[in-house]
C-alpha cells in the first residue's frame, strides 16, 4: 500500500510529520493493506498562523483494489490528532465496506424445483 502525503504551506510538511502520520496510519489500517492500493493524505490548517480550535484538518482517501475510493475528514487542534481521528473513521468505513461486500457474496442459488 502506497501512502502519498500532501500538506498546505501553513502546516509543517516536514518529513518528521509525514513519517509520524504514515507510521500511525500503517498501524491503524494494517488489516486492510492487501485490499488497498494507495492512501492519499491531505493535511491543512484553516487559520494558518492565527491558531484556533480544531483548525487542523486531515483528509484521507483510500483506493481499494476494486471499487470506488473512500474518503474521510477529521478536524482537531493538532495535525497528529486529526490524522489519528481520520484513521479511526477510515478503519470504521473500510470495516463496513469490506464487511458488506463479504455479506453479499452468495453461492450460486439452487435451481428451483418444479
Amino acid at each position: 500500500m502506497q501512502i502519498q502525503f500532501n500538506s498546505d504551506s501553513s502546516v509543517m510538511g516536514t518529513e518528521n510529520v509525514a513519517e509520524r502520520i504514515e507510521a500511525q496510519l500503517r498501524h491503524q489500517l494494517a488489516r486492510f493493506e492487501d485490499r488497498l492500493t494507495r492512501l492519499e493524505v491531505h493535511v491543512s490548517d484553516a487559520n494558518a498562523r492565527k491558531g484556533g480550535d480544531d483548525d487542523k484538518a486531515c483528509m484521507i482517501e483510500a483506493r481499494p483494489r476494486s471499487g470506488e475510493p473512500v474518503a474521510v475528514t477529521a478536524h482537531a487542534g493538532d495535525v497528529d490528532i486529526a490524522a489519528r481521528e481520520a484513521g479511526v473513521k477510515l478503519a470504521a468505513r473500510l470495516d463496513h465496506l469490506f464487511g458488506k461486500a463479504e455479506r453479499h457474496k452468495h453461492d450460486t442459488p439452487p435451481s428451483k424445483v418444479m
Side-chain angles (χ1 to χ4, degrees):
M1 170 177 69
Q2 177 187 7
I3 298 181
Q4 180 179 347
F5 186 83
N6 302 294
S7 65
D8 67 12
S9 61
S10 61
V11 176
M12 290 176 30
T14 64
E15 287 296 316
N16 193 22
V17 172
E19 287 174 6
R20 282 195 321 263
I21 291 173
E22 181 175 340
Q24 178 179 306
L25 291 174
R26 284 194 185 279
H27 177 73
Q28 286 178 305
L29 304 173
R31 66 185 180 273
F32 304 111
E33 190 165 358
D34 61 333
R35 293 181 168 195
L36 300 174
T37 59
R38 183 174 74 214
L39 292 179
E40 290 188 28
V41 181
H42 301 269
V43 292
S44 60
D45 185 345
N47 295 338
R49 288 177 229 117
K50 296 178 194 172
D53 294 338
D54 296 345
D55 64 333
K56 310 290 189 292
C58 180
M59 191 280 291
I60 305 171
E61 182 178 288
R63 302 284 179 115
R65 292 196 184 280
S66 60
E68 297 294 315
V70 176
V72 297
T73 302
H75 298 271
D78 178 78
V79 173
D80 292 303
I81 294 170
R84 184 173 48 248
E85 290 176 4
V88 168
K89 285 183 181 183
L90 184 59
R93 294 276 299 277
L94 293 173
D95 274 335
H96 179 75
L97 176 71
F98 294 139
K100 188 175 186 177
E102 291 296 316
R103 287 191 302 273
H104 288 283
K105 282 185 181 177
H106 298 290
D107 294 329
T108 306
S111 300
K112 291 185 178 181
V113 179
M114 295 208 173

